[in-house]
Amino acid sequence: MNETNLPLMGREYYVMSATASQISLLDSSETNTLAYGDSITIDGKEISIAYISDTEVMFSVDGVNTEKLSEHEYEELDDGSYIVLTSDMYDAKESGVSKAEFAVGAGKIDLIEGDTLKINSEYVDGVEVTLTGGDSLDRKSTRLNSSHTDISR
Protein backbone atom coordinates (compact mmCIF):
# COMPACT_ATOMS: atom_id res chain seq x y z
CA MET A 1 0.00 0.00 0.00
CA ASN A 2 3.05 2.27 0.34
CA GLU A 3 3.91 4.40 -2.68
CA THR A 4 0.30 4.88 -3.70
CA ASN A 5 -2.48 7.40 -3.43
CA LEU A 6 -5.50 6.80 -1.24
CA PRO A 7 -8.84 8.53 -1.83
CA LEU A 8 -10.22 9.73 1.48
CA MET A 9 -12.95 12.23 2.27
CA GLY A 10 -13.10 13.38 -1.36
CA ARG A 11 -9.35 14.02 -1.71
CA GLU A 12 -6.26 12.04 -2.73
CA TYR A 13 -3.53 11.44 -0.12
CA TYR A 14 -0.05 10.00 -0.67
CA VAL A 15 0.55 6.93 1.53
CA MET A 16 3.88 7.55 3.27
CA SER A 17 3.77 4.35 5.30
CA ALA A 18 1.26 1.62 6.07
CA THR A 19 1.01 -1.32 8.43
CA ALA A 20 -1.97 -3.32 9.62
CA SER A 21 -2.46 -0.89 12.52
CA GLN A 22 -1.28 2.49 11.21
CA ILE A 23 -1.38 4.51 7.99
CA SER A 24 0.47 7.81 7.57
CA LEU A 25 -0.76 10.07 4.77
CA LEU A 26 0.51 13.24 3.14
CA ASP A 27 -2.10 15.59 1.72
CA SER A 28 -0.37 15.71 -1.67
CA SER A 29 -1.29 13.32 -4.45
CA GLU A 30 1.25 14.87 -6.81
CA THR A 31 4.79 13.56 -6.90
CA ASN A 32 7.62 15.38 -8.66
CA THR A 33 10.89 14.18 -10.17
CA LEU A 34 13.95 16.37 -9.80
CA ALA A 35 17.39 15.88 -11.35
CA TYR A 36 20.52 16.68 -9.37
CA GLY A 37 21.57 20.22 -10.32
CA ASP A 38 18.04 21.38 -11.20
CA SER A 39 15.49 23.16 -9.02
CA ILE A 40 11.72 23.40 -8.99
CA THR A 41 9.28 25.73 -7.26
CA ILE A 42 6.29 24.12 -5.55
CA ASP A 43 3.81 26.11 -3.47
CA GLY A 44 6.28 29.00 -3.37
CA LYS A 45 9.15 26.79 -2.11
CA GLU A 46 12.32 26.48 -4.21
CA ILE A 47 13.47 22.86 -3.98
CA SER A 48 16.71 21.31 -5.20
CA ILE A 49 18.85 18.29 -4.36
CA ALA A 50 21.76 19.22 -2.07
CA TYR A 51 23.14 15.65 -1.82
CA ILE A 52 22.27 12.28 -3.34
CA SER A 53 23.66 8.76 -2.89
CA ASP A 54 22.33 5.31 -3.61
CA THR A 55 20.57 5.25 -0.22
CA GLU A 56 19.86 8.87 0.78
CA VAL A 57 18.82 12.26 -0.56
CA MET A 58 19.17 15.66 1.10
CA PHE A 59 16.91 18.38 -0.29
CA SER A 60 17.45 22.11 -0.13
CA VAL A 61 14.17 23.94 0.48
CA ASP A 62 14.48 27.72 0.18
CA GLY A 63 18.19 27.39 0.96
CA VAL A 64 17.71 25.23 4.08
CA ASN A 65 18.90 21.62 3.88
CA THR A 66 16.76 18.76 5.14
CA GLU A 67 18.23 15.78 6.93
CA LYS A 68 19.38 12.95 4.66
CA LEU A 69 16.20 11.00 3.82
CA SER A 70 15.92 7.37 2.78
CA GLU A 71 13.03 6.28 0.55
CA HIS A 72 9.65 6.93 2.23
CA GLU A 73 11.18 9.02 5.00
CA TYR A 74 9.87 12.53 5.49
CA GLU A 75 10.77 15.73 7.25
CA GLU A 76 8.63 18.55 8.56
CA LEU A 77 9.73 21.85 7.03
CA ASP A 78 10.01 25.21 8.83
CA ASP A 79 6.55 26.31 7.61
CA GLY A 80 4.85 23.14 8.95
CA SER A 81 4.58 21.42 5.56
CA TYR A 82 6.23 18.07 4.83
CA ILE A 83 8.56 16.66 2.18
CA VAL A 84 8.82 12.90 1.58
CA LEU A 85 11.34 11.07 -0.59
CA THR A 86 9.35 8.59 -2.65
CA SER A 87 12.15 7.22 -4.87
CA ASP A 88 15.94 7.60 -4.96
CA MET A 89 17.15 7.21 -8.55
CA TYR A 90 20.88 7.54 -7.95
CA ASP A 91 23.11 6.93 -10.97
CA ALA A 92 26.71 6.10 -10.09
CA LYS A 93 27.94 6.62 -13.66
CA GLU A 94 29.69 9.91 -14.37
CA SER A 95 27.65 10.34 -17.54
CA GLY A 96 24.34 9.56 -15.80
CA VAL A 97 22.01 11.97 -14.04
CA SER A 98 20.82 11.16 -10.53
CA LYS A 99 17.22 12.01 -9.74
CA ALA A 100 14.84 11.92 -6.82
CA GLU A 101 11.07 11.58 -6.78
CA PHE A 102 9.36 13.36 -3.90
CA ALA A 103 6.11 14.89 -2.69
CA VAL A 104 5.41 18.04 -0.70
CA GLY A 105 2.24 18.49 1.33
CA ALA A 106 0.77 20.93 3.79
CA GLY A 107 -0.25 18.30 6.28
CA LYS A 108 0.28 14.79 7.61
CA ILE A 109 -2.53 12.55 8.78
CA ASP A 110 -1.94 9.53 11.02
CA LEU A 111 -4.64 6.87 11.10
CA ILE A 112 -3.79 4.62 14.07
CA GLU A 113 -6.05 1.66 14.81
CA GLY A 114 -8.05 2.22 18.00
CA ASP A 115 -6.49 5.63 18.60
CA THR A 116 -7.52 9.22 18.06
CA LEU A 117 -6.95 10.73 14.61
CA LYS A 118 -3.75 12.83 14.37
CA ILE A 119 -3.36 15.73 11.94
CA ASN A 120 0.08 17.38 11.89
CA SER A 121 0.99 15.63 15.17
CA GLU A 122 -2.09 17.05 16.92
CA TYR A 123 -4.81 14.71 18.16
CA VAL A 124 -8.35 15.47 16.96
CA ASP A 125 -10.60 15.07 20.01
CA GLY A 126 -13.54 12.72 19.57
CA VAL A 127 -12.36 11.09 16.31
CA GLU A 128 -11.38 7.42 16.75
CA VAL A 129 -9.90 5.36 13.91
CA THR A 130 -10.81 1.80 12.92
CA LEU A 131 -8.87 0.08 10.10
CA THR A 132 -10.10 -3.13 8.49
CA GLY A 133 -7.72 -5.19 6.38
CA GLY A 134 -5.61 -8.32 6.49
CA ASP A 135 -2.60 -9.08 8.65
CA SER A 136 -0.52 -6.49 6.82
CA LEU A 137 -1.20 -3.54 4.57
CA ASP A 138 1.28 -3.43 1.73
CA ARG A 139 1.04 -2.99 -2.00
CA LYS A 140 2.00 -6.60 -2.76
CA SER A 141 -0.42 -8.64 -0.67
CA THR A 142 -3.27 -7.07 1.25
CA ARG A 143 -5.40 -4.02 0.71
CA LEU A 144 -7.26 -1.78 3.07
CA ASN A 145 -10.85 -3.01 3.08
CA SER A 146 -12.29 -0.08 4.95
CA SER A 147 -11.57 2.67 7.40
CA HIS A 148 -13.98 4.22 9.83
CA THR A 149 -13.69 7.36 11.89
CA ASP A 150 -16.09 7.61 14.78
CA ILE A 151 -16.86 11.23 15.64
CA SER A 152 -18.43 11.64 19.06
CA ARG A 153 -18.77 15.17 20.35
Side-chain angles (χ1 to χ4, degrees), residues 63-102:
V64 178
N65 290 346
T66 65
E67 297 292 324
K68 292 178 182 175
L69 303 175
S70 299
E71 287 188 356
H72 309 296
E73 287 187 334
Y74 62 90
E75 183 170 322
E76 185 174 1
L77 303 175
D78 290 342
D79 67 354
S81 62
Y82 292 83
I83 187 168
V84 59
L85 174 63
T86 58
S87 183
D88 181 346
M89 297 173 275
Y90 176 74
D91 190 338
K93 299 176 188 172
E94 285 187 30
S95 62
V97 177
S98 295
K99 299 177 183 176
E101 184 177 79
F102 66 99

Side-chain angles (χ1 to χ4, degrees), residues 119-138:
I119 299 177
N120 296 333
S121 302
E122 298 287 327
Y123 287 98
V124 179
D125 291 335
V127 182
E128 187 172 313
V129 176
T130 303
L131 302 174
T132 305
D135 292 334
S136 67
L137 295 173
D138 64 43

Side-chain angles (χ1 to χ4, degrees), residues 1 9 20 30 32 37 50 55 58-59 80 83 85 88 113 120-121 141 147:
M1 187 165 183
M9 299 179 286
E30 181 180 338
N32 298 278
T55 59
M58 176 188 295
F59 294 99
I83 187 168
L85 174 63
D88 181 346
E113 171 64 33
N120 296 333
S121 302
S141 61
S147 67

Side-chain angles (χ1 to χ4, degrees), residues 34-62:
L34 184 61
Y36 183 72
D38 291 345
S39 65
I40 187 171
T41 301
I42 300 172
D43 296 330
K45 299 171 188 62
E46 184 177 355
I47 301 170
S48 62
I49 297 172
Y51 167 85
I52 188 167
S53 73
D54 60 337
T55 59
E56 299 173 315
V57 174
M58 176 188 295
F59 294 99
S60 174
V61 181
D62 292 332

